[in-house]
Amino acid sequence: MQIVAMQVHSIAVADPPLRSSYGLHAPYGLRTIIELTSEDGVTGISETHGGDAIAQGLEAMRSQIVGCNASRLAAKLIPMIEGEPEGTNLERSQTFHVPGENPFDASQRLYSAVEIACLDLIGKSLGQPVCDLLGGRVRDAIPFSAYLFYKHAGGGGEDSDARADEYGEALTPQGLVAQASQMIAKYGFRDIKFKAGVLDPEIEMESVCQLRAAFGPGVPVRMDPNCAWSVETSVCVGKTLAAELNHGGYLEDPTASMEGMAAVRSQLLGAGIETPLASNVAVTSFADLPEAVKTDAVQIVLSDPHYWGGLRQTQHLGKLCRSFGLGISMHSNTHLGVSLMAMTHAAAATPHLSYACDTHYPWQSEQDEVVLGGRIPFVDGCVHIPEKPGLGVELDRDQLARGRERYAKCGYRKRDDETEMRKHIDPNWRRTLPRW
Amino acid sequence: MQIVAMQVHSIAVADPPLRSSYGLHAPYGLRTIIELTSEDGVTGISETHGGDAIAQGLEAMRSQIVGCNASRLAAKLIPMIEGEPEGTNLERSQTFHVPGENPFDASQRLYSAVEIACLDLIGKSLGQPVCDLLGGRVRDAIPFSAYLFYKHAGGGGEDSDARADEYGEALTPQGLVAQASQMIAKYGFRDIKFKAGVLDPEIEMESVCQLRAAFGPGVPVRMDPNCAWSVETSVCVGKTLAAELNHGGYLEDPTASMEGMAAVRSQLLGAGIETPLASNVAVTSFADLPEAVKTDAVQIVLSDPHYWGGLRQTQHLGKLCRSFGLGISMHSNTHLGVSLMAMTHAAAATPHLSYACDTHYPWQSEQDEVVLGGRIPFVDGCVHIPEKPGLGVELDRDQLARGRERYAKCGYRKRDDETEMRKHIDPNWRRTLPRW
């Protein structure tokens, strides 16, 4: 399984004008597809966030990758993720950076992309599904959640390349419920992830209440304002939505910093409210966990094989969280089918990952999918592990070429939601924390 | 890789009259060899501790094992190790039970034996060394330590089956240094593990000083009295041997209980002594780690793939320890070459396992080895990962049959060092803690 070639494809994918506390999604999201080919002609693939920096980072690793046995590469590169990340918790955090643009996790992201491509290559070479290379599947069908966003009208892409606006505008509680209804009807999701931190907290709380009224307590809701709130506002929301966010849901990164999260937790517990706090902002690496445990700042860690060092590190994280009484869920970014399958295999092989995973997949369209055969099917909100080796998907070369062309044309080279916000919505917009 | 057959072989292995705080090793140590055979006729093997109970435990799992795909069995059985162990830390601990006879880790031990045999079967089926199935090797040559014991005269076995007394009696500091010299000359070890808790602490401290005088500070010494000491004695030893046990060595389980260990640590730190405390007694499972971290009771965890849930769990433990600033070393029991190779592959695939591993291997002899080709070679104190699939070893059927015969004849059915002590050394001996 000696790797003889690596190809790195920067692609662009139409993305609707979704809102978050970081700002606005650009008309194109950027992704990177990695191909590693062995001397036997087998190719392993992975997908990660996009832009020039990650592609350059992968190119800089070429001499370490090409010539190495795929089944030994993850260990060879382990110093990339075993070093202690620099900076304080707050500097390392995702507070001030959109995912994929945080310099403090660059090494983990590069490692992840290579590890996943190696696992696909190993699986395809040996005729084994990736999850079975990792000890086997604890579940065959992986549940995902309906990822709701406040959004402006538009389906992503620009000019003649614009996509249909499948979900329409949603900037009110009613609009969000309509979006949820449409998405749940199409995919069968049984959990709701709601990206908050965009409108006044009163409106966002009303949105949660209307979601609960529409779908009932059998559809847990998680709410994620990406640090938009002060401790005081976070506590207020936690108290007001005590019934709506507990019991299978959670409150994700309501406020910035480990200290802020710990203060929210402490005040909520003091008020008898046990709604767990989840995080992929305050906690972004293994190095953050001791403080998170010590201060009880976070009760649920959001894993993500793209950011935490790949699939084996996701398994390590699962065991660590279980050992320390933490829950574990899974974070998502704008992605296509290769990432979806990596997330699916990670979830299949991580016993303690017992929440439905986040996924942006409903926000992408058939037109942009690079997986042969088109979009990955969901059944009752779940993706099933296919009876195929590796991740279970192959690349559609024509679609990949179109993604590359789109990248060349679109002009975006990194994710910058703040600039997009100023360009399309409000020329004076700045991300201020806390906003409320 | 469907498993179509399981065989469980209870064997007995001659063992010298080694001493510890638990008592005396019997003339025969008990081991169990597990074979899992796939529909393709490939056989995976593992070795674990012995006696009737483990064999019965494995037999009770037969219907879950036979018929399952080897690459999915570890996940299928995961509830065996993901449940929280019952009891308090102290009850769960190894304080009152010799390894292999602790009812609170029975489930992990059974799981481990099956997981390792599966990994060997998968590796042999796919043509991959076990460490490369686990992400690859971070090291090719695994260092082990010289495991010194106070011992009586005798080489193990009984009557016409008695072994030569290779190392002779060692019940004085001088005897221990001679044992170390002989073992290091033969195997090339560069670290010393010294099983203490047997003679008066003054004699044991003198033994450490004489070891240091003989081998110098370049040969780190770890000292393990298996809870024989009070907190006061432990602190006294820690202070007296501040120079000898720090810098690559450690003090292992000087006293019983997490509280006791935390008290020793606190008092040593208060005296400016940073010698780390290691444990495979106070900490025996993932469930013990939160308290160990919180109270700083343990700075180095002794992993052991036989007790912690196999090789993947050893990797999880490594990552967890790294994340929480704990060191990690490896525990050993009386064992043959199959176990030695499982330990070697575990160490190869666990980046953070940076201490030389313990091994009892020098105390066993060629006559009892069940590995085809005879005993595993050591080069400069290290075992090398062989360029062979799976664990890299096969069974010698004749030797296995002799081990089974020996088991049938020897009469031992569980490990009971206290009874042996009364039988051979002192009819009134009881294990009392703390003894000093």
Side-chain angles (χ1 to χ4, degrees):
Chain A
M1 277 186 285
Q2 197 188 34
I3 297 167
V4 296
M6 174 175 79
Q7 283 189 278
V8 177
H9 307 280
S10 294
I11 62 172
V13 178
D15 202 23
L18 307 179
R19 291 281 296 275
S20 77
S21 91
Y22 290 110
L24 176 71
H25 282 212
Y28 292 98
L30 308 180
R31 300 297 286 172
T32 308
I33 303 292
I34 297 96
E35 294 187 85
L36 301 178
T37 303
S38 74
E39 56 193 336
D40 305 316
V42 180
T43 295
I45 59 177
S46 69
E47 175 189 344
T48 187
H49 67 97
D52 283 357
I54 181 89
Q56 286 159 8
L58 288 162
E59 286 299 341
M61 293 171 67
R62 182 178 290 278
S63 66
Q64 291 179 277
I65 294 169
V66 174
C68 187
N69 183 325
S71 63
R72 298 186 187 177
L73 186 54
K76 178 183 168 187
L77 299 177
I78 203 82
M80 292 180 70
I81 57 167
E82 287 278 303
E84 295 305 326
E86 293 172 8
T88 64
N89 275 136
L90 186 59
E91 286 169 336
R92 276 201 307 266
S93 76
Q94 209 68 16
T95 306
F96 308 111
H97 305 280
V98 285
E101 301 296 341
N102 183 346
F104 291 100
D105 64 12
S107 189
Q108 286 103 290
R109 288 185 272 119
L110 288 165
Y111 182 93
S112 303
V114 174
E115 193 240 18
I116 295 169
C118 280
L119 280 168
D120 187 47
L121 176 53
I122 297 166
K124 284 173 177 161
S125 299
L126 303 180
Q128 296 286 311
V130 163
C131 60
D132 293 341
L133 294 177
L134 299 171
R137 57 198 73 182
V138 289
R139 47 189 83 86
D140 257 318
I142 310 307
F144 287 84
S145 56
Y147 204 149
L148 311 185
F149 284 85
Y150 291 121
K151 77 178 278 290
H152 301 280
E158 285 184 319
D159 306 327
S160 64
D161 188 45
R163 304 293 180 279
D165 186 4
E166 184 179 0
Y167 289 95
E169 183 183 273
L171 291 168
T172 61
Q174 296 75 13
L176 206 73
V177 170
Q179 185 187 95
S181 299
Q182 189 179 341
M183 197 179 281
I184 286 172
K186 183 167 177 181
Y187 293 93
F189 297 126
R190 295 169 184 189
D191 293 73
I192 288 173
K193 155 99 173 197
F194 163 35
K195 182 62 91 182
V198 173
L199 304 180
D200 187 277
E202 290 295 330
I203 302 173
E204 298 196 338
M205 286 191 282
E206 174 62 19
S207 298
V208 170
C209 291
Q210 290 201 20
L211 288 168
R212 175 53 51 100
F215 300 101
V219 179
V221 177
R222 58 189 76 165
M223 185 180 196
D224 174 19
N226 285 118
C227 313
W229 303 335
S230 65
V231 170
E232 191 183 4
T233 302
S234 302
V235 171
C236 172
V237 173
K239 285 179 177 174
T240 307
L241 299 179
E244 288 78 7
L245 296 180
N246 206 347
H247 312 300
Y250 47 75
L251 185 53
E252 181 182 332
D253 289 308
T255 198
S257 88
M258 202 77 89
E259 294 74 14
M261 293 285 282
V264 173
R265 172 66 168 172
S266 164
Q267 290 180 41
L268 285 178
L269 279 183
I273 293 164
E274 296 184 350
T275 302
L277 302 186
S279 182
N280 76 300
V281 174
V283 171
T284 63
S285 77
F286 285 90
D288 297 329
L289 290 162
E291 191 176 335
V293 165
K294 192 175 171 186
T295 63
D296 194 24
V298 170
Q299 292 75 54
I300 297 168
V301 177
L302 269 70
S303 66
D304 184 331
H306 305 88
Y307 292 89
W308 282 82
L311 302 191
R312 291 191 186 86
Q313 298 295 318
T314 301
Q315 293 183 298
H316 295 331
L317 179 62
K319 186 71 188 195
L320 188 156
C321 285
R322 178 169 182 84
S323 301
F324 281 85
L326 300 171
I328 178 167
S329 186
M330 193 184 288
H331 166 261
S332 150
N333 272 141
T334 299
H335 65 87
L336 297 173
V338 183
S339 277
L340 180 61
M341 292 315 302
M343 294 158 72
T344 297
H345 281 272
T350 305
H352 187 49
L353 207 166
S354 53
Y355 288 89
C357 301
D358 290 351
T359 178
H360 286 60
Y361 203 59
W363 298 107
Q364 274 52 67
S365 62
E366 182 76 30
Q367 208 172 329
D368 299 283
E369 181 56 87
V370 296
V371 157
L372 203 63
R375 280 173 60 85
I376 310 293
F378 283 74
V379 178
D380 296 335
C382 294
V383 176
H384 286 252
I385 299 290
E387 287 299 325
K388 291 178 185 169
L391 294 172
V393 287
E394 304 282 349
L395 291 175
D396 182 318
R397 298 280 154 193
D398 293 339
Q399 285 290 89
L400 186 65
R402 278 191 276 274
R404 291 179 62 126
E405 284 170 25
R406 218 178 283 120
Y407 186 87
K409 280 184 195 161
C410 77
Y412 293 99
R413 290 298 174 264
K414 60 178 282 197
R415 181 174 168 188
D416 185 351
D417 292 15
E418 197 168 351
T419 296
E420 283 305 299
M421 191 70 183
R422 285 199 283 268
K423 192 166 150 193
H424 296 280
I425 309 294
D426 176 357
N428 299 313
W429 197 85
R430 291 196 69 80
R431 184 168 187 251
T432 54
L433 296 181
R435 185 171 297 277
W436 292 280
Chain B
M1 279 187 285
Q2 197 188 35
I3 298 166
V4 296
M6 174 175 80
Q7 282 189 279
V8 177
H9 308 279
S10 295
I11 63 173
V13 178
D15 200 24
L18 308 178
R19 290 281 297 275
S20 77
S21 91
Y22 290 112
L24 175 72
H25 282 212
Y28 292 98
L30 308 179
R31 300 297 285 171
T32 308
I33 303 292
I34 297 95
E35 294 187 85
L36 301 179
T37 303
S38 74
E39 54 193 338
D40 305 316
V42 180
T43 295
I45 59 177
S46 68
E47 174 188 344
T48 186
H49 67 98
D52 283 357
I54 182 88
Q56 286 159 8
L58 288 162
E59 287 298 341
M61 293 170 67
R62 181 177 290 277
S63 66
Q64 292 179 276
I65 293 169
V66 175
C68 187
N69 183 326
S71 63
R72 299 186 186 177
L73 186 52
K76 178 184 168 186
L77 299 177
I78 204 81
M80 291 179 71
I81 57 168
E82 287 279 303
E84 296 304 327
E86 292 172 9
T88 64
N89 275 135
L90 186 60
E91 286 170 336
R92 276 201 307 267
S93 75
Q94 209 68 17
T95 308
F96 307 112
H97 305 279
V98 284
E101 301 296 342
N102 183 346
F104 292 100
D105 65 12
S107 189
Q108 286 102 291
R109 288 186 270 117
L110 288 165
Y111 182 92
S112 303
V114 174
E115 193 242 18
I116 294 169
C118 281
L119 280 168
D120 187 47
L121 176 54
I122 296 166
K124 285 172 177 162
S125 299
L126 303 180
Q128 296 287 310
V130 162
C131 60
D132 293 340
L133 294 176
L134 299 171
R137 57 197 74 182
V138 290
R139 46 190 83 86
D140 257 319
I142 310 307
F144 287 84
S145 57
Y147 205 148
L148 311 184
F149 283 84
Y150 291 121
K151 76 178 278 289
H152 301 277
E158 284 184 317
D159 306 325
S160 64
D161 187 45
R163 305 293 180 277
D165 187 4
E166 183 179 0
Y167 289 95
E169 183 183 274
L171 291 167
T172 61
Q174 296 75 14
L176 206 71
V177 170
Q179 185 186 96
S181 300
Q182 188 178 342
M183 197 179 281
I184 286 173
K186 183 167 177 180
Y187 294 93
F189 297 125
R190 295 169 184 191
D191 293 73
I192 287 173
K193 156 99 172 196
F194 162 35
K195 182 62 91 183
V198 172
L199 304 179
D200 187 278
E202 290 296 331
I203 302 173
E204 299 196 338
M205 287 191 281
E206 173 62 18
S207 298
V208 170
C209 292
Q210 291 202 19
L211 287 169
R212 175 53 51 100
F215 299 101
V219 179
V221 177
R222 55 190 79 163
M223 185 181 196
D224 174 19
N226 285 118
C227 313
W229 303 336
S230 66
V231 170
E232 191 183 5
T233 302
S234 302
V235 171
C236 171
V237 173
K239 286 179 178 174
T240 307
L241 299 179
E244 288 79 7
L245 296 181
N246 207 346
H247 311 299
Y250 46 75
L251 184 54
E252 180 181 333
D253 289 308
T255 197
S257 88
M258 203 77 87
E259 295 74 16
M261 292 286 281
V264 173
R265 172 66 170 172
S266 166
Q267 291 181 42
L268 286 178
L269 279 183
I273 293 164
E274 295 184 350
T275 302
L277 302 185
S279 180
N280 76 300
V281 174
V283 170
T284 63
S285 76
F286 286 90
D288 298 329
L289 289 161
E291 190 175 336
V293 166
K294 192 175 172 187
T295 63
D296 195 23
V298 170
Q299 291 74 53
I300 297 168
V301 176
L302 269 72
S303 67
D304 183 333
H306 304 87
Y307 292 88
W308 281 82
L311 301 191
R312 290 192 186 87
Q313 299 294 319
T314 301
Q315 293 183 297
H316 295 330
L317 180 62
K319 185 73 188 194
L320 188 156
C321 285
R322 178 169 181 83
S323 300
F324 281 85
L326 300 171
I328 178 166
S329 186
M330 194 184 286
H331 166 260
S332 151
N333 272 139
T334 300
H335 65 89
L336 296 173
V338 183
S339 276
L340 180 60
M341 292 315 302
M343 295 158 71
T344 297
H345 281 271
T350 305
H352 188 49
L353 207 165
S354 52
Y355 288 89
C357 301
D358 290 351
T359 176
H360 286 61
Y361 204 59
W363 297 107
Q364 273 53 67
S365 62
E366 182 76 30
Q367 207 172 328
D368 299 283
E369 182 55 87
V370 295
V371 158
L372 204 62
R375 279 170 66 81
I376 310 294
F378 284 73
V379 178
D380 296 333
C382 295
V383 176
H384 286 252
I385 300 289
E387 288 299 324
K388 291 178 185 171
L391 294 173
V393 288
E394 305 281 349
L395 291 175
D396 181 319
R397 298 281 153 191
D398 292 340
Q399 285 290 88
L400 187 66
R402 277 191 276 274
R404 291 179 62 126
E405 283 169 27
R406 220 177 281 120
Y407 186 87
K409 278 184 196 160
C410 78
Y412 291 99
R413 291 298 174 264
K414 60 178 282 196
R415 181 174 168 188
D416 184 352
D417 292 15
E418 197 168 351
T419 296
E420 283 305 300
M421 192 70 183
R422 285 199 283 269
K423 191 167 150 192
H424 295 280
I425 309 294
D426 175 356
N428 299 313
W429 196 84
R430 293 196 68 82
R431 184 167 185 252
T432 54
L433 295 181
R435 184 170 298 277
W436 291 282

